[in-house]
């Protein structure tokens, strides 16, 4: 993980406590730069402003623009669609999971997440490109 300090993770979650917990877990064990957005719109604003992001942790269930709609918009942009997205979800609703899966996420982390699950999924995605 020598170049991990060059990686930027954008955490998008309307639950400030959940976003803070994810940030803490990642900062504790990695050198990743962490950014946080509290909505899909704020996520898109970061990207529109030219913020370079290597991975997006995206909550599926958010008021306004949910994670699925956010991901659909990311997919329409030539550069943004290359950014891996890991969905964060508390949902076990089959239709939601199927709809999210069709968008080609890099993975899922079930909320509430264990620190090890989150950390391993992020590291595997960023360092191994899986």
């Amino acid at each position: 993980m020598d170049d991990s300090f060059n990686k930027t993770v954008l955490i998008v979650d309307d639950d400030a406590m959940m976003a803070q917990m994810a940030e803490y877990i990642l900062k504790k064990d990695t050198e990743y730069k962490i950014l946080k957005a509290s909505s899909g719109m704020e996520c898109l604003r970061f990207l529109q402003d030219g913020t370079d992001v290597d991975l997006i942790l995206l909550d599926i269930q958010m008021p306004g623009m949910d994670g699925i709609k956010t991901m659909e918009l990311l997919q329409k942009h030539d550069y943004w669609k290359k950014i891996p997205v890991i969905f964060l979800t508390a949902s076990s609703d089959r239709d939601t999971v199927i709809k999210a899966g069709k968008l080609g996420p890099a993975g899922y982390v079930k909320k509430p997440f264990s620190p090890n699950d989150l950390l391993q999924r992020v590291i595997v995605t960023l360092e191994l490109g899986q």
Side-chain angles (χ1 to χ4, degrees), residues 59-75:
D59 184 19
I60 289 181
Q61 295 174 308
M62 295 184 289
M65 184 188 302
D66 66 12
I68 291 174
K69 180 64 179 168
T70 303
M71 178 86 167
E72 288 170 347
L73 292 173
L74 292 172
Q75 294 294 315

Side-chain angles (χ1 to χ4, degrees), residues 3-126:
D3 69 340
S4 66
F5 61 89
N6 292 326
K7 307 281 187 181
T8 299
V9 177
L10 175 57
I11 300 167
V12 184
D13 199 322
D14 62 311
D15 181 337
M17 187 70 94
M18 198 62 68
Q20 195 171 2
M21 191 164 106
E23 178 183 28
Y24 173 78
I25 291 165
L26 296 176
K27 279 190 167 183
K28 181 176 163 293
D29 291 311
T30 72
E31 297 290 321
Y32 302 141
K33 179 179 178 187
I34 308 297
L35 301 172
K36 292 187 292 191
S38 60
S39 68
M41 285 303 298
E42 192 177 350
C43 168
L44 296 177
R45 274 196 298 275
F46 265 113
L47 299 173
Q48 286 168 340
D49 289 345
T51 304
D52 192 22
V53 174
D54 298 291
L55 173 69
I56 299 172
L57 293 177
L58 183 59
D59 184 19
I60 289 181
Q61 295 174 308
M62 295 184 289
M65 184 188 302
D66 66 12
I68 291 174
K69 180 64 179 168
T70 303
M71 178 86 167
E72 288 170 347
L73 292 173
L74 292 172
Q75 294 294 315
K76 291 179 181 178
H77 190 281
D78 286 342
Y79 181 72
W80 299 347
K81 70 181 177 187
K82 296 175 186 165
I83 302 169
V85 172
I86 296 174
F87 278 123
L88 302 175
T89 183
S91 177
S92 54
D93 175 53
R94 187 170 153 69
D95 291 340
T96 301
V97 172
I98 289 170
K99 196 172 179 181
K102 288 180 179 176
L103 296 171
Y108 298 87
V109 175
K110 190 101 170 101
K111 289 166 49 173
F113 43 78
S114 81
N116 197 46
D117 284 348
L118 179 69
L119 186 62
Q120 291 310 309
R121 172 52 45 206
V122 168
I123 288 172
V124 165
T125 302
L126 281 176

